[in-house]
Amino acid sequence: MTDTETPRAETSYESVDAVLDSLDDEGLDGYSYAYLDEHTKREVRRSILKAVAIPGHQVPYASRPMPLARGWGTGGIQASLSILGPTDTFKVIDQGSDESVNAANIRRLARDTAAVETTTDTTDSDVIQTRHRIPEEALSEDQILVLQVPVTDALRKVDPSDAANRRRHAHKNYGKMWVHLYENVVEWGEINIASRYPTMVAGRYLMDPSPIPRWDVPKLDDADNLFVFAAGREARLYAVPPNTDVEPLAFEDREFQVERFGDATCQFCGSDDTYLVEIEGDDGETRYVCNDTSFCEKRQDDPELAKDHHRERDVSWGPGTPSEGADATGGDGT
Amino acid sequence: MSLLSADGVTRIYGSGCEACRDRTGDAAGTNQCPACGSVVACADVDLDLQPREVLGIVGESGSGKSSLAELLALEPNQDGHVHGSVEYANHPGNLLDVDYETRHALRNGHISLVHQHIRDGLDLDFSGGGNVAEKLLASGWRNYEDVRERVASLFEETEIPVERMDDPTHTYSGGMQRRVQIARALAINPEIVVLDEPTTGLDVSVQARVLDMFRRIQREEDVAAIVVSHDLGVVRLLADRTLVMRHGRVIESGLTDRVLEDPHHEYTQTLINSAI
Amino acid sequence: MTILSIDGLSKTFDMHVLGDTQVVGLDDVSFDVQTGEFLAIVGESGSGKSSLLKCLYRTYEPNSGRVVYHGPTRDVDLASCPARTVIGLRRDVIGYTSQFLDEIPRVPAVDVVARPLVEQGHSRDDARETARDLLTALSVPRELWEAYPATFSGGERQRVNLAQAIAPRPAVLLLDEPTSALDPETRRAAIDLLSTYLDGETTVIGVFHDTNVVEAVADRVVVLDDGRLDRVVPVDEYDGEVVVE
């Protein structure tokens, strides 16, 4: 320590910029590839393998301190950095946007420490880390979606006791969650759960799909890609492997429904088959825009672009995807 | 043909020792083993329940009747050593040995317990209807309107105002909460209902109505029941046959009116003479 | 034809709470009961009349002796058969009514009377129909039919009680002072009902403290004295004396 500090004390700089300029690297000397040490990455990968082997089951892992506060995607970062390799291309989105500060910082961390290419194009990426959304473009079997998870257990809504909930999962005892849905319908006339919609994975484990909108829940079912859900604060991760049955809990006569946007279309690209968010313009009027900015840009160039345009066959990918034999330009959402 | 039969059912809290059974019980005058300090909650209990029959179990607090009721009702309780066997007509093997899954399945379709303490049996934050619905949902009901209809009819049957169905259970009176418990217990058309101290915490006027309601339903639905109470009046009204327990042992049993009018055991005579 | 053979029936109460005092209720009582006959049991207060009925119904468990019921298919010893057999016989064969109605509150009178019929398998409507006929015959006011007997006067309750006991037309009916709280006119009606409704099919064994009733309805009289059988005589040989010294 003292050896390295001594020479710096002898040099004087005129400004912070001068200090930064004087460094011939980015301060990454001594850090492992992809920031995390090899043992940590190996442990995370082992936990992911276990999670893949038991779809929907929450697997504990040794969540490390990261250079940002827990709750800011530290679980997702650890999962992403553990599976990224130097030939991969990485995309990070935060609520559909590639350009949020947090997304940009995570992308830069991976670029700097893991030497990966980064992109904002869903179809170009190998690994996508995301907060609260699943991209509109259909993912393929070569891709992995890493979701940041604030709350790992769907049952915590009905019982704060983790011990009791672990027992419920062990015995597939989800009566309390069903009562929650029942009471939801009593109160609202339909199931009114905005996000973190309780979802059965492979007919066995009840899963919290993270705070994605209901719109994205159907994309989990029988997808071609792997989904990894990772929580830094709770130090647990879980997964939905490719082609797994994922079914949102609902009653036979009160079915699961995605968000409805009426006649609204994106004011930039005109899409009516994407997840829209409201924005208020300078004139005080509410307008709708695509939440997935990357796909919105593509649609602005080509309004007819299908969500599975890059795939060789028709892919079912959430609401609004053209089903086989239907109009290839996209349906009306339901 | 017996629906449920118990043979030598014993539960001992504590380490247990060779002397436990010999040095506790009615003759010893205690249920605590003087050698090792273990508590013999109940020991060597034999009983037999037939379809549609109501069996009463009376005794003072600490006599072991609730421990026995919990064992018969498959209440999960890992404490203590359990011996003996409980045979149930619709399931092979000893009910005291079943795993969690089987226990859960039996409790969600065959054997219901109405807890002595309302908080053990109900989630007071859920609506009254939700508490009843939970049994249906846990046993696989997936049609919302069917669940609503069944819950409403159970509310009617147990004489709870149907318009209170969606109110949180903690806003209900004690008598209504007890009815919700009974409605919940009956929701899945069980073969056997175990009532543990069904009148605890209820006003005398409410007690009679709850018992009357239960007796009517018990007869209409042809469900067998085990009624555990310290109150002789409860078993008089409900039970065909009655067991008297003391210090963890069954000391007398027979037709309920025989036990109450011609008690043989000294303790039973005391119990009946001290009742009004 | 003999329907009940009572043989050496004894009942002693061990009163542990009274320093293990033994109280004799019945001592070696034996007599036969013929099918369809009306048997009156008489005796002074404390002579064992109620104890005898309760031993026949097994509310008291006899210490020794037999009470053999000669059923259509088999004989059953009511003194020693399993409790469940007793429960079955009580439902189908043997009725009992005491001076007191022991009913859960909040059951309407008509349903109290109809209940044993429903338990025998009759439809609810049929059972209530019969119940209403019986309440009419016993002149229970119509406005009380749907009310709860717990609120009734002693005489009204006793009539409901009697109606309930005879409603299922049991093969053997045990009556413990069923008319004690009734005025003479209603008592007359009740006694008439016993013969009209039961139509001689039912064997009745009853305790009546009113000699007029005994003479009006009984075929034979069983006289008890201090727990022992004094004599069994045809009613026309019965002199109204409780015990012949």
Side-chain angles (χ1 to χ4, degrees):
Chain A
M1 279 284 270
T2 46
D3 284 349
T4 54
E5 281 176 14
T6 318
R8 274 192 194 172
E10 287 169 357
T11 326
S12 65
Y13 294 101
E14 287 172 359
S15 68
V16 174
D17 283 340
V19 177
L20 291 174
D21 288 342
S22 75
L23 300 172
D24 47 9
D25 59 30
E26 288 178 88
L28 294 166
D29 268 357
Y31 282 102
S32 302
Y33 173 75
Y35 184 77
L36 298 166
D37 67 82
E38 292 306 315
H39 289 295
T40 296
K41 283 182 286 193
R42 189 174 299 170
E43 198 254 355
V44 171
R45 286 194 289 263
R46 269 203 303 265
S47 298
I48 292 174
L49 283 175
K50 185 170 176 184
V52 168
I54 317 171
H57 173 62
Q58 299 161 48
V59 180
Y61 74 103
S63 183
R64 302 292 185 200
M66 295 301 289
L68 74 171
R70 290 193 161 165
W72 291 77
T74 53
I77 297 171
Q78 291 177 79
S80 299
L81 292 175
S82 297
I83 54 180
L84 280 171
T87 59
D88 286 331
T89 303
F90 189 43
K91 170 182 161 83
V92 183
I93 46 175
D94 184 345
Q95 303 221 46
S97 165
D98 295 86
E99 302 309 333
S100 90
V101 174
N102 202 36
N105 280 338
I106 294 170
R107 197 159 55 227
R108 207 169 63 221
L109 177 72
R111 187 195 64 210
D112 291 349
T113 63
V116 293
E117 294 288 323
T118 60
T119 180
T120 58
D121 184 344
T122 299
T123 58
D124 277 353
S125 59
D126 298 300
V127 176
I128 304 170
Q129 181 173 332
T130 173
R131 173 172 173 268
H132 302 188
R133 273 310 307 276
I134 295 175
E136 298 290 2
E137 285 170 286
L139 299 182
S140 71
E141 59 269 29
D142 304 323
Q143 293 179 298
I144 299 175
L145 191 74
V146 175
L147 292 103
Q148 299 170 201
V149 176
V151 179
T152 53
D153 200 329
L155 292 173
R156 209 167 297 154
K157 244 180 233 177
V158 292
D159 189 344
S161 161
D162 269 2
N165 290 336
R166 264 195 291 272
R167 240 180 343 261
R168 291 194 178 98
H169 283 298
H171 300 293
K172 200 182 164 185
N173 173 5
Y174 298 131
K176 276 240 184 312
M177 179 53 83
W178 281 104
V179 179
H180 178 71
L181 297 188
Y182 162 89
E183 304 228 305
N184 210 265
V185 180
V186 168
E187 193 172 352
W188 303 100
E190 60 178 331
I191 300 174
N192 184 23
I193 298 175
S195 66
R196 296 184 51 212
Y197 196 97
T199 304
M200 275 307 273
V201 179
R204 178 58 185 85
Y205 285 101
L206 187 70
M207 184 184 82
D208 185 325
S210 87
I212 56 174
R214 296 197 302 274
W215 183 269
D216 288 342
V217 171
K219 296 175 186 170
L220 293 162
D221 181 43
D222 194 28
D224 291 328
N225 64 294
L226 167 66
F227 297 92
V228 174
F229 300 79
R233 184 170 34 208
E234 294 190 20
R236 290 187 212 170
L237 51 81
Y238 46 98
V240 174
N243 306 113
T244 303
D245 288 339
V246 176
E247 195 189 351
L249 293 193
F251 295 105
E252 291 163 2
D253 51 346
R254 292 292 188 283
E255 290 177 1
F256 171 82
Q257 292 184 334
V258 298
E259 291 82 355
R260 298 175 287 265
F261 303 107
D263 296 330
T265 56
C266 173
Q267 74 150 341
F268 298 130
C269 70
S271 294
D272 62 358
D273 62 345
T274 56
Y275 184 68
L276 302 176
V277 287
E278 293 177 16
I279 54 166
E280 198 175 310
D282 294 337
D283 54 3
E285 263 190 53
T286 300
R287 296 190 177 82
Y288 286 91
V289 294
C290 281
N291 178 251
D292 183 338
T293 52
S294 161
F295 187 57
C296 185
E297 282 171 21
K298 292 186 186 180
R299 276 270 172 95
Q300 288 172 38
D301 294 340
D302 177 4
E304 301 297 310
L305 190 70
K307 293 175 183 177
D308 55 357
H309 62 94
H310 55 299
R311 304 291 303 277
E312 284 172 10
R313 56 183 178 82
D314 284 348
V315 178
S316 162
W317 186 252
T321 325
S323 55
E324 279 173 51
D327 179 7
T329 57
D332 61 3
T334 48
Chain B
M1 184 203 60
S2 139
L3 185 60
L4 189 79
S5 66
D7 186 17
V9 170
T10 302
R11 169 173 262 159
I12 298 174
Y13 294 105
S15 55
C17 71
E18 300 272 309
C20 275
R21 292 196 202 198
D22 292 340
R23 298 184 63 180
T24 60
D26 184 45
T30 178
N31 64 356
Q32 187 166 26
C33 175
C36 69
S38 299
V39 172
V40 180
C42 61
D44 308 320
V45 175
D46 301 341
L47 62 83
D48 179 69
L49 183 72
Q50 292 197 347
R52 294 181 292 281
E53 193 174 34
V54 182
L55 179 68
I57 301 177
V58 288
E60 60 197 1
S61 55
S63 62
K65 56 193 193 306
S66 284
S67 281
L68 178 62
E70 285 178 5
L71 286 172
L72 297 175
L74 293 155
E75 183 72 351
N77 179 348
Q78 301 308 312
D79 298 338
H81 310 286
V82 174
H83 310 279
S85 73
V86 176
E87 308 277 336
Y88 170 55
N90 300 325
H91 187 268
N94 184 352
L95 287 199
L96 299 180
D97 293 338
V98 297
D99 59 21
Y100 181 103
E101 300 266 326
T102 313
R103 181 196 300 277
H104 195 71
L106 287 170
R107 282 171 56 101
N108 273 325
H110 295 264
I111 301 173
S112 286
L113 173 66
V114 175
H115 283 270
Q116 173 176 5
H117 302 293
I118 284 161
R119 274 170 202 283
D120 291 342
L122 298 179
D123 187 326
L124 297 185
D125 292 333
F126 282 150
S127 63
N131 270 295
V132 178
E134 184 177 7
K135 275 276 180 188
L136 302 171
L137 295 165
S139 63
W141 288 48
R142 292 292 177 263
N143 185 294
Y144 175 78
E145 293 298 340
D146 288 354
V147 170
R148 290 293 282 179
E149 206 173 293
R150 173 79 176 137
V151 171
S153 84
L154 284 160
F155 265 55
E156 265 169 36
E157 206 175 359
T158 51
E159 299 159 16
I160 316 169
V162 175
E163 65 270 17
R164 296 293 308 274
M165 189 164 131
D166 298 329
D167 295 346
T169 311
H170 63 77
T171 67
Y172 287 20
S173 70
M176 277 169 63
Q177 289 176 348
R178 183 70 67 192
R179 288 164 196 275
V180 171
Q181 277 188 293
I182 292 173
R184 183 181 149 91
L186 294 167
I188 34 100
N189 291 321
E191 298 283 332
I192 302 167
V193 175
V194 179
L195 291 169
D196 190 4
E197 297 283 8
T199 54
T200 297
L202 302 184
D203 292 344
V204 177
S205 61
V206 178
Q207 287 180 7
R209 291 188 204 169
V210 169
L211 295 178
D212 172 34
M213 175 272 287
F214 181 77
R215 187 164 87 159
R216 176 176 53 73
I217 295 176
Q218 184 268 326
R219 292 183 184 193
E220 284 172 7
E221 309 274 319
D222 278 349
V223 61
I226 295 173
V227 180
V228 174
S229 183
H230 68 282
D231 184 344
L232 296 164
V234 172
V235 296
R236 179 192 284 277
L237 288 179
L238 296 181
D240 302 312
R241 292 184 306 123
T242 292
L243 309 180
V244 183
M245 288 190 75
R246 190 188 195 199
H247 297 313
R249 312 301 153 100
V250 176
I251 54 163
E252 180 160 2
S253 66
L255 293 165
T256 300
D257 57 329
R258 202 284 295 157
V259 170
L260 296 179
E261 295 199 32
D262 180 19
H264 296 171
H265 194 282
E266 180 176 0
Y267 173 72
T268 318
Q269 293 184 356
T270 314
L271 200 64
I272 283 155
N273 281 318
S274 54
I276 6 165
Chain C
M1 215 172 72
T2 305
I3 190 163
L4 279 179
S5 304
I6 296 148
D7 181 19
L9 196 64
S10 296
K11 175 61 188 170
T12 306
F13 300 94
D14 292 317
M15 308 298 279
H16 298 291
V17 287
L18 299 174
D20 290 339
T21 317
Q22 291 209 327
V23 177
V24 176
L26 289 177
D27 183 8
D28 196 19
V29 172
S30 304
F31 62 94
D32 285 350
V33 183
Q34 304 306 311
T35 305
E37 80 170 321
F38 200 121
L39 207 60
I41 299 171
V42 298
E44 287 185 335
S45 177
S47 61
K49 304 184 296 289
S50 289
S51 292
L52 174 58
L53 285 188
K54 286 184 175 177
C55 280
L56 300 185
Y57 198 59
R58 256 291 273 291
T59 295
Y60 289 170
E61 190 170 298
N63 297 74
S64 60
R66 285 151 51 86
V67 178
V68 178
Y69 164 69
H70 303 284
T73 53
R74 65 193 175 109
D75 290 356
V76 181
D77 179 9
L78 291 169
S80 64
C81 68
R84 283 219 186 81
T85 310
V86 177
I87 292 170
L89 289 170
R90 285 179 179 183
R91 188 182 56 233
D92 301 330
V93 176
I94 303 174
Y96 174 86
T97 178
S98 74
Q99 293 157 270
F100 309 104
L101 182 66
D102 191 17
E103 260 301 328
I104 294 192
R106 278 205 340 133
V107 177
V110 66
D111 286 326
V112 170
V113 177
R115 175 165 282 165
L117 291 167
V118 173
E119 279 172 25
Q120 276 188 345
H122 295 271
S123 79
R124 186 158 216 99
D125 287 345
D126 288 354
R128 285 172 64 99
E129 174 89 43
T130 307
R132 281 191 288 266
D133 290 347
L134 288 169
L135 291 171
T136 307
L138 289 169
S139 43
V140 175
R142 184 178 287 264
E143 61 269 24
L144 292 182
W145 293 357
E146 296 293 337
Y148 310 137
T151 62
F152 290 7
S153 74
E156 286 158 352
R157 292 172 70 162
Q158 196 164 48
R159 278 177 275 170
V160 173
N161 196 13
L162 183 63
Q164 184 196 35
I166 66 174
R169 291 192 174 90
V172 179
L173 179 59
L174 309 172
L175 300 173
D176 192 355
E177 305 225 21
T179 58
S180 59
L182 304 185
D183 60 72
E185 197 179 327
T186 322
R187 186 175 301 167
R188 190 73 246 159
I191 299 304
D192 286 347
L193 184 65
L194 284 178
S195 46
T196 53
Y197 181 76
L198 297 176
D199 203 21
E201 298 286 314
T202 293
T203 307
V204 182
I205 305 173
V207 174
F208 300 91
H209 71 269
D210 184 333
T211 311
N212 293 331
V213 175
V214 174
E215 286 174 351
V217 296
D219 299 311
R220 290 194 298 157
V221 180
V222 174
V223 185
L224 290 179
D225 176 25
D226 201 14
R228 276 186 291 273
L229 182 71
D230 184 77
R231 61 190 194 274
V232 184
V233 293
V235 70
D236 49 10
E237 292 173 29
Y238 175 60
D239 49 14
E241 289 289 319
V242 167
V243 178
V244 177
E245 293 297 336

